[in-house]
Amino acid sequence: VKQSLERFQLDYIDLLQCIFDKETPIEEMVMHASIMHDVVQAGYVRYIRISSCWAYQCAYMLHFCSIMRLQTNSLLSFHAKPLYREEECEIFPTLKVFGVGSTPWPPLARSALIRPLGQQTDRGQTDS
């Protein structure tokens, strides 16, 4: 991170995003939590955004941070599914307990909510 700041002639990074897929082992997430703490404490990064993990993974990592007194300044970015909102039932209470904010992506379900029902798009056929 320090080398990137020097290369781009910046004093700090506003938001550093860590993307985990749903198969990332919790041990790897915890290891990253310790690293995130270090870069926040050093002043290189202001906020950390964790992306795409299950509620139990997020809770485990945030609980670890709490026990170890690690500062993360966290924000969770989750895959918002306006047509299927079950995930929110688990993730929002978890975030509230730990005082973590959230940002949904993509908020319009890849435009499914703003175009005629059944209409296909090129992106809909190429996105996974």
Side-chain angles (χ1 to χ4, degrees), residues 82-116:
L83 301 175
Y84 175 77
R85 301 186 65 186
E86 190 64 33
E87 206 171 300
E88 295 173 19
C89 294
E90 290 187 25
I91 202 67
F92 285 152
T94 301
L95 298 178
K96 185 175 181 180
V97 165
F98 290 100
V100 174
S102 65
T103 55
W105 66 270
L108 295 176
R110 294 186 175 99
S111 76
L113 298 176
I114 58 173
R115 60 179 149 72

Side-chain angles (χ1 to χ4, degrees), residues 13-83:
I13 296 170
D14 284 317
L15 181 66
L16 178 65
Q17 180 162 318
C18 299
I19 301 173
F20 299 105
D21 63 30
K22 307 261 188 213
E23 306 306 316
T24 301
I26 289 178
E27 297 78 16
E28 185 177 331
M29 294 176 76
V30 167
M31 179 189 71
H32 282 87
S34 179
I35 295 167
M36 289 183 267
H37 169 79
D38 292 344
V39 297
V40 169
Q41 286 295 309
Y44 299 142
V45 174
R46 289 196 173 175
Y47 296 96
I48 301 291
R49 181 166 67 184
I50 304 163
S51 183
S52 302
C53 59
W54 294 108
Y56 80 91
Q57 290 172 314
C58 180
Y60 186 93
M61 186 169 66
L62 292 170
H63 180 67
F64 172 81
C65 290
S66 175
I67 289 172
M68 300 302 292
R69 302 193 191 295
L70 299 178
Q71 177 185 356
T72 58
N73 295 342
S74 296
L75 180 65
L76 177 75
S77 178
F78 67 98
H79 192 174
K81 301 174 185 129
L83 301 175

Side-chain angles (χ1 to χ4, degrees), residues 1-13 16:
V1 171
K2 185 177 179 181
Q3 290 174 349
S4 294
L5 290 173
E6 290 169 359
R7 186 175 64 228
F8 292 114
Q9 299 175 359
L10 297 172
D11 295 326
Y12 57 86
I13 296 170
L16 178 65

